[in-house]
Amino acid sequence: MKLGKKIAWALLIVFVGMQFFQPDKNEDTSDHLATFLSETNPPDQVEHLLKTSCFDCHSNHTVYPWYNRVAPVSYWLADHIDHGKGHLNFSEWDTYDAGEKDHKLEEVVETVESGEMPLREYTWTHAEARLTESQRNAILEWARLSRSRLAVNGSPK
Ligand code: HEC
């Protein structure tokens, strides 16, 4: 067998072997967003936008695309989700103290206003997650309002 062919076979075997290993999935089915939603009270439109544009990477439940079944793509996605959740996890809102909540909402304003979020790699493959100007404004308005509401009422924790 020629060397090129041997290498091609070796790569194929590695690729197939890889498929037997997949990272743990981010698929909590409990009511993990309850605290966040009740404390920040987003209007339906904003809740829907957060769901389609943010929760896949910033909550404990990701709606996976079909290609997540293919390693090593699954590892790449898992890494993005871990990283995103490390910075901000709406499902763990109850673990943030009042100062952290305020800071997270401030960052939501900054990253959405600048167009940094949702990540571009994500909107390439999730067209529905792209935000129009008026959708961005709706998120900004809600986040600012929540910040002032939390500042006035404090949060239960
Ligand atoms: C594809 C995954 C993904 C999506 C979708 C996504 N994010 Fe992120 N987000 C990340 C990652 C990864 C980081 C870590 C920041 C970095 O290192 O670039 C992050 C960081 C953040 C931060 C913290 C920034 C900081 O300075 O710590 C905020 C706030 C944020 N995202 C808000 C949002 C909002 C709001 C949406 C929806 C409009 C959203 N993200 C959608 C992956 C995502």
Side-chain angles (χ1 to χ4, degrees), residues 51-115:
K51 190 171 175 187
T52 45
S53 302
C54 318
F55 288 165
D56 274 356
C57 301
H58 291 291
S59 86
N60 288 342
H61 189 98
T62 303
V63 179
Y64 287 96
W66 64 266
Y67 47 79
N68 186 61
R69 286 191 227 122
V70 186
V73 178
S74 44
Y75 283 91
W76 188 72
L77 295 185
D79 192 55
H80 258 72
I81 296 164
D82 280 351
H83 196 172
K85 286 203 322 185
H87 283 259
L88 169 66
N89 187 347
F90 291 117
S91 302
E92 284 170 14
W93 195 248
D94 55 338
T95 66
Y96 298 145
D97 65 29
E100 285 168 328
K101 286 173 184 169
D102 184 63
H103 184 59
K104 302 286 172 196
L105 287 168
E106 183 183 16
E107 286 184 340
V108 167
V109 170
E110 284 168 11
T111 55
V112 169
E113 198 165 36
S114 67

Side-chain angles (χ1 to χ4, degrees), residues 122-139:
Y122 184 76
T123 51
W124 283 336
T125 49
H126 296 74
E128 73 288 355
R130 277 177 215 144
L131 299 172
T132 63
E133 169 114 40
S134 77
Q135 290 173 329
R136 250 200 310 274
N137 287 337
I139 294 178

Side-chain angles (χ1 to χ4, degrees), residues 8-23 69-75:
W9 271 108
L11 287 177
L12 181 66
I13 288 164
V14 167
F15 179 77
V16 171
M18 222 184 253
Q19 305 313 314
F20 292 98
F21 301 90
Q22 295 291 354
R69 286 191 227 122
V70 186
V73 178
S74 44
Y75 283 91

